[in-house]
Amino acid sequence: MFFEVFVARRFVLFCALLQYTNGDLVYSIQEEMKLGSVIGNIAKDLGLDVGTLSTRKARIETEGNDRRYCDVNLRSGDVIVAERMDREKICAAKPLCVITFEILLEAPLELHRITLQIQDVNDKGPTFPKDKIKLDISESADKGARYRVNAAHDADIGQNAVQSYALQRNSNFVLNIQTTSAGIKYGELVLDKELDREAQQEMQLLLTALDGGSPQRSGTLTIDVTVLDANDNAPVFSQAVYEASLPENSPLKTHVITVSATDADDGVNGEVTYEFSQISDDSRKVFSLDQSTGEITVIGDVDFEEENKYEMFVEAKDGYGLSSDAKVIISISDANDNAPVITLKSLTNPVPENVSPGTEVGIINVQDRDAEENRQVRCFIQQNVPFKLIPSIKNYYSLVTTEKLDRELLPDYNITVTATDEGSPPLSSLKMIQIVIADVNDNPPAFDERSYSTYVSENVKSGHTLCSVSAQDPDWRQNGTVIYSLLPGKVNGAPVSSYLSVNGDTGVIQSVRSFDYEHFKNFKVYVMARDNGSPPLSSNVTVSVFITDVNDNTPQILYPAPEGNSFMTELVPKAAQGGSLVSKVIAVDGDSGQNAWLSYHIIKSTDPGLFKIDLHSGEIRTQRDISDSDNMKQNILVAVKDNGQPSLSATCSMFLLISDNLAEVPELKDMAYEDSSSKLTSYLIIALVSVSTFFLTFIIIIVGLRFCRRRKPRLLFDGAVAIPSSYLPPNYADVDATGTLRSAYNYDAYLTTGSRTSDFKFVTSYNDNTLPADQTLRKNPTDFEEVFGDLDVSPEVGRL
Ligand SMILES: *[C@@H]1O[C@H](CO)[C@@H](O)[C@H](O)[C@H]1NC(C)=O
Ligand SMILES: *[C@@H]1O[C@H](CO)[C@@H](O)[C@H](O)[C@H]1NC(C)=O
Ligand SMILES: *[C@@H]1O[C@H](CO)[C@@H](O)[C@H](O)[C@H]1NC(C)=O
């Protein structure tokens, strides 16, 4: 038997023998002794003889089926370790670890109780439940926050159990050691400095648990701290103000600008979404913001004229609602998409035609909603109108007349106003303005002809249409309505209205009475054409009325006195030779022209072969020499015919006495009722007749010459002694207007007196204007109007 002190490394094997009075043995042994290690010697401790042990069959008995940790060496009496004794296994955490068993000896039966105290050895180190733990700590955790770490466990007990912890140095945490009520120590991580995930997202801490054994054992725990993100960062925009420019009329989906904000936070906290924060309803209709990309695109009509600048705020928000704003300014640039708009602000319409040039008739306003040069507008009208546009203040233009207007020339104007802006391409618009020119009574009626003349036969009934005048007035409506009237005046002392009437509407001139050519041959009236304007304008025209002759007067025989009325006798000298002028029939005709062209015929004579009468002059001449056998008393019946259709005629008788001396004639009393004269007187008369005849011939030649030069003779008789005024027609002077036989029928009045006592006087009276000849040569038809003018309306009347 031996008693061995086991020293393992620095551990000292210790064995103690405790003596119990009742024969019980108490041993103390360190755990984990090697098998065979001697715990004690029962022979010695119980005072037994070693040699008897085997004979007495000393053995260890355990109760029940407890394990047998020990055995007895029968040769030495040593109690040895038979099985590994792990205190922690056998007693766990019991502070006193005791194993009891009995030693049984036979012969005699002897029972000894042995108590084996197992002493703890620091054979275990502290261990944490896990090698590694994960700790998620929000970065928002406050300073002082505690995070318990499960205690490390050490199977050993007492001093060998966990005594302390140590934390690896780090910047954020410190260690605080706590003891539970059960006396178990554990550590707490205390946040000493706030975490910042954005600075350090993860960290590894090493926590060491130490026991109090010797040698000291330790166990470590790796703590992986993950800093959980706290939403402590708001998204930050890359710019405080975003500015973009966008042309108007950009199509839908046009990219405008992309705003961008970043959030330093992680995950949801760093997920930035965008939305408009302050935006007008109008803007919202035009722009959309992509929630996730921050792209602003066009979704509506971009109209510069509506809005040229949009301002809005965009908010960027992270998952938990932290947000920030940025301003977005979108400037819209103008495109020339609006044509100018022409507005007629005022218009004088219609424009009176008498406005003076430069009169403003309208005001035009032109506007263009575009900007800058796109709104610079030029405004003009076409060239060929008497109007122009004058730029006035701002966008106003005055439409003024440039010349005198004449409604009668052009009653209306269509003015095209064109406005063009200066954009590129330029836009333009047109406006038609119709300007109507209003009438002003500025045109007097104008007669179609400068003067009118008309011919009317005498004796036509009243109501006969002579002619019609017509005048035109280009003015409008009543200003152009022409009314005709006669201007008051006198014709031959009577008002014109008693001769003519004019139809106010048609201008037809009618006679009011019949005319007598022999009374007057022509007259003039003035017809006025007046319009209905206010005041009215008028013009007048002369209407010359020429009355044409009708053969309504029978020739009137002036000499000899008509048949039955007188009894005149011509004396024919016996010595008269053939061809001698014996007498002359004088006749006149109130008509004119053909109607007054008289021819003389001998209808009946006493001795037809003796006398002949000149067809035209009415001169009675002898045809042959007078012989004594001829009857002293000769009677001739002369007819005077005019040339009218039908012709009118008159007859007269002429008594001729062939005698040298009236006294010789016994029947003279029958023939002559006048006093007898002396023979001397008879000769005187004959001489006088001859001289007179010569003189008359001379006069005729002169007058004839004048007729040749002058188309208008005035042959007037003054009252002669030998021609009773009652014989003369009221008017037998010619006027050229009758136009017939102008120079051919300048008949002459021959007065041959058949009486010694009869006297005659022949007077020609010329109108002034037949003289002198050189003046008459210059006359032309218009001069005759003057002549008429001179005469005024009084017709030419023969003066007696
Ligand atoms: C102006 O236009 C109107 C109607 O459009 C037309 O009746 C008239 O004849 C025109 N006038 C001129 C002078 O062109
Ligand atoms: C006629 O002319 C006058 C001015 O002279 C004018 O006032 C009037 O309106 C005109 N009448 C018509 C129908 O045009
Ligand atoms: C007729 O017209 C002329 C000019 O045309 C004028 O001189 C004259 O006075 C007028 N006569 C009357 C009676 O109106």
Side-chain angles (χ1 to χ4, degrees), residues 408-690:
E408 286 73 38
L409 218 56
L410 249 181
D412 63 353
Y413 293 91
N414 288 335
I415 293 174
T416 312
V417 181
T418 311
T420 307
D421 63 27
E422 312 220 313
S424 100
L427 293 176
S428 59
S429 53
L430 301 178
K431 188 174 186 74
M432 287 281 281
I433 301 174
Q434 188 178 22
I435 292 184
V436 176
I437 309 300
D439 188 45
V440 165
N441 193 19
D442 55 354
N443 287 286
F447 281 98
D448 297 348
E449 285 167 38
R450 281 191 58 189
S451 65
Y452 292 84
S453 57
T454 181
Y455 297 91
V456 58
S457 297
E458 58 178 331
N459 300 338
V460 294
K461 291 215 176 67
S462 67
H464 175 75
T465 299
L466 275 69
C467 64
S468 69
V469 295
S470 117
Q472 314 299 329
D473 189 329
D475 287 325
W476 182 245
R477 297 263 163 87
Q478 64 257 41
N479 291 341
T481 307
V482 180
I483 300 159
Y484 303 94
S485 60
L486 280 176
L487 282 184
K490 294 254 159 126
V491 174
N492 205 19
V496 282
S497 56
S498 65
Y499 290 89
L500 295 177
S501 70
V502 60
N503 184 311
D505 297 331
T506 62
V508 169
I509 296 175
Q510 291 184 320
S511 58
V512 170
R513 57 154 89 157
S514 59
F515 303 106
D516 185 1
Y517 176 82
E518 287 71 35
H519 195 54
F520 54 87
K521 294 183 171 53
N522 64 64
F523 60 94
K524 275 183 177 183
V525 293
Y526 288 94
V527 174
M528 181 173 76
R530 178 176 63 85
D531 61 29
N532 224 355
S534 152
L537 295 175
S538 66
S539 58
N540 58 46
V541 76
T542 53
V543 177
S544 305
V545 178
F546 296 106
I547 298 156
T548 55
D549 189 40
V550 165
N551 195 19
D552 60 346
N553 287 286
T554 48
Q556 289 208 5
I557 298 166
L558 306 179
Y559 182 87
E563 214 174 353
N565 207 2
S566 68
F567 185 72
M568 295 181 81
T569 304
E570 289 288 344
L571 207 59
V572 180
K574 284 181 181 153
Q577 297 191 331
S580 305
L581 179 66
V582 284
S583 185
K584 179 172 168 63
V585 175
I586 298 172
V588 292
D589 193 304
D591 297 319
S592 66
Q594 294 275 5
N595 295 337
W597 192 345
L598 300 179
S599 59
Y600 302 85
H601 308 274
I602 294 174
I603 308 171
K604 216 164 91 180
S605 67
T606 316
D607 184 352
L610 189 53
F611 297 104
K612 64 169 182 187
I613 191 159
D614 188 275
L615 187 64
H616 300 302
S617 63
E619 286 172 352
I620 299 172
R621 290 175 191 273
T622 55
Q623 285 202 87
R624 57 175 170 80
D625 296 348
I626 305 279
S627 67
D628 289 344
S629 62
D630 289 330
N631 194 342
M632 243 181 112
K633 291 189 281 184
Q634 295 284 335
N635 195 357
I636 302 170
L637 187 62
V638 175
V640 181
K641 276 202 253 176
D642 63 23
N643 205 23
Q645 281 295 338
S647 76
L648 299 173
S649 65
T651 58
C652 66
S653 291
M654 179 161 280
F655 297 100
L656 299 171
L657 189 64
I658 303 173
S659 171
D660 290 333
N661 189 349
L662 279 175
E664 292 176 5
V665 185
E667 297 94 346
L668 193 62
K669 285 191 195 88
D670 303 337
M671 295 167 66
Y673 43 85
E674 291 169 75
D675 290 345
S676 301
S677 303
S678 66
K679 198 177 178 181
L680 180 66
T681 312
S682 299
Y683 282 123
L684 259 171
I685 290 170
I686 290 167
L688 199 63
V689 166
S690 305

Side-chain angles (χ1 to χ4, degrees), residues 154-171:
D154 194 328
D156 296 325
I157 55 167
Q159 276 298 311
N160 292 337
V162 175
Q163 297 301 319
S164 68
Y165 294 93
L167 181 66
Q168 181 191 16
R169 276 182 74 91
N170 69 83
S171 52

Side-chain angles (χ1 to χ4, degrees), residues 75-269:
R75 279 173 289 149
S76 61
D78 288 339
V79 177
I80 58 170
V81 175
E83 196 160 337
R84 184 176 156 245
M85 279 181 284
D86 184 359
R87 190 203 71 83
E88 287 77 26
K89 194 167 177 182
I90 298 164
C91 296
K94 276 190 224 160
L96 190 65
C97 186
V98 175
I99 299 171
T100 57
F101 53 91
E102 280 134 13
I103 294 195
L104 187 70
L105 296 162
E106 294 175 14
L109 185 68
E110 225 175 304
L111 189 68
H112 298 279
R113 187 183 171 95
I114 293 175
T115 300
L116 184 63
Q117 289 183 358
I118 301 170
Q119 304 291 328
D120 185 41
V121 170
N122 194 18
D123 59 346
K124 298 272 175 356
T127 55
F128 287 94
K130 288 184 193 161
D131 292 353
K132 208 168 200 176
I133 58 167
K134 219 169 130 39
L135 198 56
D136 288 346
I137 302 175
S138 166
E139 62 178 325
S140 64
D142 292 334
K143 181 173 176 179
R146 291 155 187 267
Y147 303 92
R148 178 175 172 159
V149 181
N150 282 338
H153 179 72
D154 194 328
D156 296 325
I157 55 167
Q159 276 298 311
N160 292 337
V162 175
Q163 297 301 319
S164 68
Y165 294 93
L167 181 66
Q168 181 191 16
R169 276 182 74 91
N170 69 83
S171 52
N172 296 88
F173 294 96
V174 292
L175 187 66
N176 181 26
I177 296 170
Q178 297 279 356
T179 311
T180 64
S181 53
I184 294 169
K185 289 194 163 99
Y186 63 90
E188 275 178 347
L189 293 178
V190 177
L191 190 60
D192 190 37
K193 180 183 159 225
E194 279 111 345
L195 295 168
D196 183 1
R197 189 199 68 81
E198 290 71 36
Q200 191 178 11
Q201 192 171 354
E202 285 184 337
M203 60 180 77
Q204 210 169 45
L205 302 174
L206 208 58
L207 181 66
T208 309
L210 296 168
D211 62 18
S214 171
Q216 197 177 38
R217 287 176 179 261
S218 65
T220 57
L221 171 69
T222 308
I223 304 171
D224 283 330
V225 175
T226 303
V227 180
L228 290 184
D229 186 46
N231 192 23
D232 56 349
N233 285 288
V236 176
F237 278 101
S238 57
Q239 287 167 245
V241 177
Y242 292 87
E243 284 186 80
S245 168
L246 183 69
E248 68 170 322
N249 301 333
S250 291
L252 300 185
K253 296 192 179 143
T254 302
H255 167 87
V256 182
I257 194 172
T258 303
V259 296
S260 136
T262 49
D263 191 312
D265 291 329
D266 193 37
V268 178
N269 292 336

Side-chain angles (χ1 to χ4, degrees), residues 236-481:
V236 176
F237 278 101
S238 57
Q239 287 167 245
V241 177
Y242 292 87
E243 284 186 80
S245 168
L246 183 69
E248 68 170 322
N249 301 333
S250 291
L252 300 185
K253 296 192 179 143
T254 302
H255 167 87
V256 182
I257 194 172
T258 303
V259 296
S260 136
T262 49
D263 191 312
D265 291 329
D266 193 37
V268 178
N269 292 336
E271 262 171 30
V272 178
T273 55
Y274 303 92
E275 62 185 43
F276 290 122
S277 56
Q278 282 176 41
I279 184 167
S280 65
D281 289 347
D282 287 345
S283 310
R284 202 180 281 282
K285 287 181 193 143
V286 179
F287 299 107
S288 83
L289 174 62
D290 188 297
Q291 212 187 352
S292 51
T293 62
E295 184 185 15
I296 295 177
T297 50
V298 176
I299 55 161
D301 285 350
V302 184
D303 187 358
F304 174 84
E305 287 72 35
E306 208 64 47
E307 186 80 62
N308 59 19
K309 197 173 201 180
Y310 290 92
E311 286 191 13
M312 59 200 84
F313 281 90
V314 174
E315 186 182 70
K317 221 196 259 185
D318 62 24
Y320 288 104
L322 279 184
S323 65
S324 61
D325 282 4
K327 189 175 191 174
V328 177
I329 300 172
I330 300 170
S331 310
I332 308 300
S333 57
D334 185 45
N336 193 20
D337 59 346
N338 287 285
V341 177
I342 304 169
T343 326
L344 191 56
K345 290 293 183 189
S346 80
L347 182 65
T348 313
N349 204 6
V351 178
E353 58 179 324
N354 63 349
V355 296
S356 49
T359 305
E360 181 179 85
V361 299
I363 295 173
I364 288 163
N365 179 253
V366 181
Q367 295 199 329
D368 193 305
R369 296 180 66 217
D370 293 321
E372 290 171 9
E373 68 266 28
N374 292 342
R375 74 178 301 152
Q376 296 299 318
V377 177
R378 277 186 316 116
C379 195
F380 52 89
I381 61 172
Q382 76 265 43
Q383 292 291 319
N384 51 349
V385 288
F387 296 93
K388 66 177 175 185
L389 274 186
I390 296 179
S392 180
I393 43 168
K394 269 179 86 186
N395 299 324
Y396 286 86
Y397 294 84
S398 297
L399 183 63
V400 298
T401 59
T402 54
E403 7 180 308
K404 278 194 174 301
L405 304 173
D406 188 358
R407 190 202 68 85
E408 286 73 38
L409 218 56
L410 249 181
D412 63 353
Y413 293 91
N414 288 335
I415 293 174
T416 312
V417 181
T418 311
T420 307
D421 63 27
E422 312 220 313
S424 100
L427 293 176
S428 59
S429 53
L430 301 178
K431 188 174 186 74
M432 287 281 281
I433 301 174
Q434 188 178 22
I435 292 184
V436 176
I437 309 300
D439 188 45
V440 165
N441 193 19
D442 55 354
N443 287 286
F447 281 98
D448 297 348
E449 285 167 38
R450 281 191 58 189
S451 65
Y452 292 84
S453 57
T454 181
Y455 297 91
V456 58
S457 297
E458 58 178 331
N459 300 338
V460 294
K461 291 215 176 67
S462 67
H464 175 75
T465 299
L466 275 69
C467 64
S468 69
V469 295
S470 117
Q472 314 299 329
D473 189 329
D475 287 325
W476 182 245
R477 297 263 163 87
Q478 64 257 41
N479 291 341
T481 307

